[in-house]
Amino acid sequence: TAPELPATKLAPNCYGSMFNVCQNLLSAPILPAKQLVPGCYERMFYYCNKLSYVKALFKTTPGKEYTLAWLVGVKDTGTFIKASDASWDVIGPSGIPSSWTVLAE
């Protein structure tokens, strides 16, 4: 079980690689921060091959600067919950896996 990560303000590289290759992680802790900063979620869940649920409430558009490869190597199917007012729709290695279902909170 992952610990809670209640931070609503992030520091650069704060959670980068935190759960890297954690092969027994099934669901991610809720990520409540609204704004991303450089490196904050980079490779955070990289090759967590059983991970199938992420709830991330950021409004910043994810990309290489913030979420590089963060969900690479997770389960093929899963659910991603994002903030209802998040206007981004990024699919791929720095966003949401293409085969996952995306829902709004």
Side-chain angles (χ1 to χ4, degrees):
T1 302
E4 286 187 36
L5 301 177
T8 56
K9 285 193 156 202
L10 303 174
N13 304 307
C14 58
Y15 293 134
S17 299
M18 184 174 208
F19 299 104
N20 192 331
V21 194
C22 183
Q23 296 184 355
N24 290 316
L25 187 65
L26 302 175
S27 64
I30 296 171
L31 304 175
K34 300 291 183 191
Q35 299 297 320
L36 300 178
V37 298
C40 58
Y41 295 154
E42 183 175 321
R43 291 185 180 87
M44 188 173 185
F45 302 110
Y46 186 78
Y47 279 93
C48 292
N49 60 0
K50 293 181 184 173
L51 183 67
S52 63
Y53 179 86
V54 175
K55 183 175 183 178
L57 302 178
F58 52 84
K59 296 182 203 177
T60 308
T61 300
K64 290 179 183 179
E65 183 178 1
Y66 312 112
T67 55
L68 177 69
W70 78 313
L71 292 173
V72 167
V74 297
K75 262 186 115 169
D76 289 339
T77 57
T79 302
F80 190 97
I81 309 293
K82 69 179 193 175
S84 59
D85 57 349
S87 60
W88 59 268
D89 192 21
V90 177
I91 302 298
S94 296
I96 303 169
S98 61
S99 56
W100 279 32
T101 301
V102 180
L103 302 172
E105 179 186 53

